[in-house]
Amino acid sequence: MSTIPLSLYLHFPWCVQKCPYCDFNSHALRSSEVPEDAYVDALLRDLDFELAQPHLRARPLVSIFMGGGTPSLFSDRAIARALEGVNQRLAFAPDIEITLEANPGTAEAKNFAGYRAAGVNRLSMGVQSLSDAQLKRLGRIHSADEAVRAYQLARAAGFDNINLDLMFALPQQTQAEAEADLRALIALAPDHISWYQLTLEPNTAFGAHPPPVPDSDAAWDIQQAGLAQLAAAGYPQYEISAHAPRARQSRHNLNYWQFGDYLGIGAGAHGKLTTAQGEVLRRARHKHPKTYQAHAGRAQAVQEAHSVARADLPFEFVMNALRLRQGFARADFAARTGLQWDAQIPGVARARAQGLLDETGARVTTSELGWRHLNALLSLFL
């Protein structure tokens, strides 16, 4: 257990407005004021509740990710107070990665230097498109010019590790338009690119009223052309939607995908922890900000909690690890599940027989055939 990396996720649940495709736990502000101090207080109370488990305090944090919602609605002062409070309670690894998600609206850009001074060393910006027409269709509150300007301001503020999010297969988008959008993003030279297909999720405005999006064949063509563009530009694919040179891969997300441990703090946040006895626990907080704040620091803030059954551990592990091009080490599978990787694991024999896995020495990776049929591969482990 002590060898499993520990990360921290802090959820900030408010946005200026809800995007029609978003199924994250985000809530449109009903006033111009964000309850900064009250919410940071709740986060720290909630963290204290988690740290009642004494074995956690001895484990340094390898990464912190502040997601949302829109964390950049919070001032640099509030973010600094949150990080200071965390560091008073937990040690930071010397090379800790601290990421803040930011909306590229100009209202938050003035805080970039303050975020950097507070200890944030990685910025993740939800650009989503560099076409004003598409941004309008997606319900985004910024323009393409504002996104570029925010990126330039972040660079000027000292950020040398920036991720930009971009979506494809957007409403009425042609392949030529998708390629031009990606080409414009690559020209900015971010350190990491998250490039993913728009999905029409249930319980969203787009789910209820689907816009006209490219069909599956057209989306596939866009994806293949985009992957070639990214690779040629020096952004190799290391996970389904993540592209970066090895030195700029997201350490926080790698910890998720490698079945590491993470504390989930904040409204609707999910966490996964391995106990001193090797039991894997998953917990989720109440989603509504007011309910969460009322209970933060007490057991009542936890809405869902369960122990992962031993029989389910192989699927939970591979569901994440086989998303990575580099796969996983057999030793990590053993250390994080308490099981050995062999034909006795349900699904392994069938995956081998169907040529969906490559197993070389101490590593297990998805074969090219398995990569093209990843959902079918993962279903073998259910």
Side-chain angles (χ1 to χ4, degrees):
M1 183 277 300
S2 61
T3 62
I4 301 176
L6 179 66
S7 296
L8 171 64
Y9 176 74
L10 297 174
H11 190 76
F12 295 79
W14 290 284
C15 288
V16 174
Q17 66 183 32
K18 184 85 170 178
C19 295
Y21 57 84
C22 178
D23 68 341
F24 295 151
N25 183 41
S26 60
H27 303 261
L29 281 172
R30 297 189 182 278
S31 71
S32 60
E33 295 296 320
V34 177
E36 289 191 341
D37 290 333
Y39 192 73
V40 171
D41 287 343
L43 291 176
L44 297 177
R45 290 198 309 273
D46 196 11
L47 181 58
D48 284 333
F49 170 77
E50 284 287 350
L51 295 180
Q53 305 172 69
H55 69 279
L56 287 176
R57 290 187 179 270
R59 299 172 64 182
L61 290 175
V62 299
S63 66
I64 299 173
F65 195 102
M66 291 172 277
T70 307
S72 58
L73 286 176
F74 281 65
S75 68
D76 52 346
R77 180 192 64 82
I79 296 300
R81 193 164 78 86
L83 290 176
E84 288 167 5
V86 173
N87 200 13
Q88 288 167 2
R89 292 160 172 81
L90 286 166
F92 288 3
D95 61 346
I96 187 171
E97 175 191 89
I98 302 178
T99 302
L100 179 95
E101 284 187 335
N103 187 313
T106 54
E108 296 90 38
K110 67 181 186 301
N111 289 327
F112 286 156
Y115 296 145
R116 188 70 190 90
V120 178
N121 54 25
R122 185 174 182 269
L123 208 60
S124 183
M125 298 179 67
V127 172
Q128 312 310 3
S129 177
L130 286 169
S131 157
D132 283 335
Q134 286 293 358
L135 290 169
K136 185 174 181 180
R137 292 182 185 122
L138 293 171
R140 302 295 288 170
I141 63 170
H142 64 272
S143 67
D145 285 346
E146 286 172 337
V148 172
R149 178 62 177 157
Y151 174 79
Q152 293 169 339
L153 288 170
R155 286 295 195 204
F159 282 98
D160 61 0
N161 193 0
I162 300 177
N163 167 69
L164 298 181
D165 286 354
L166 191 79
M167 295 193 290
F168 69 91
L170 302 178
Q172 302 175 344
Q173 188 178 52
T174 66
Q175 181 171 333
E177 290 169 341
E179 290 184 41
D181 215 9
L182 183 55
R183 190 160 49 247
L185 192 88
I186 289 171
L188 296 175
D191 305 282
H192 185 289
I193 293 175
S194 296
W195 186 64
Y196 54 98
Q197 183 174 346
L198 170 66
T199 54
L200 308 182
E201 301 287 357
N203 303 315
T204 66
F206 274 2
H209 305 285
V213 295
D215 63 26
S216 57
D217 288 340
W220 172 262
D221 291 341
I222 291 171
Q223 183 181 43
Q224 296 312 297
L227 289 173
Q229 268 185 279
L230 287 159
Y235 295 93
Q237 182 186 39
Y238 71 96
E239 189 268 345
I240 292 172
S241 60
H243 304 261
R246 180 171 290 275
R248 289 307 194 190
Q249 293 178 1
S250 168
R251 277 183 274 161
H252 186 86
N253 288 337
L254 280 172
N255 194 37
Y256 288 158
W257 296 322
Q258 293 168 341
F259 211 53
D261 282 350
Y262 50 96
L263 293 159
I265 302 297
H270 289 245
K272 175 252 174 186
L273 291 172
T274 307
T275 70
Q277 293 74 38
E279 182 182 14
V280 176
L281 303 176
R282 290 195 179 276
R283 298 204 282 196
R285 266 47 183 179
H286 277 282
K287 291 183 177 181
H288 197 281
K290 287 186 177 178
T291 305
Y292 168 75
Q293 289 179 89
H295 295 303
R298 297 180 292 159
Q300 289 90 333
V302 178
Q303 186 172 30
E304 300 173 22
H306 72 277
S307 173
V308 179
R310 187 175 176 84
D312 294 334
L313 286 171
F315 174 71
E316 291 227 2
F317 184 96
V318 301
M319 180 177 62
N320 293 287
L322 289 180
R323 293 167 58 100
L324 293 169
R325 279 294 198 177
Q326 68 186 43
F328 61 88
R330 293 171 186 261
D332 285 342
F333 179 84
R336 297 176 191 191
T337 66
L339 305 169
Q340 294 300 314
W341 181 261
D342 57 35
Q344 300 306 308
I345 298 294
V348 172
R350 286 178 291 166
R352 287 172 176 169
Q354 294 176 31
L356 303 177
L357 293 176
D358 286 335
E359 298 175 271
T360 305
R363 296 202 70 80
V364 179
T365 58
T366 305
S367 69
E368 284 302 318
L369 179 64
W371 190 257
R372 291 198 299 272
H373 302 283
L374 187 57
N375 287 339
L377 168 58
L378 295 179
S379 71
L380 297 178
F381 294 92
L382 278 171

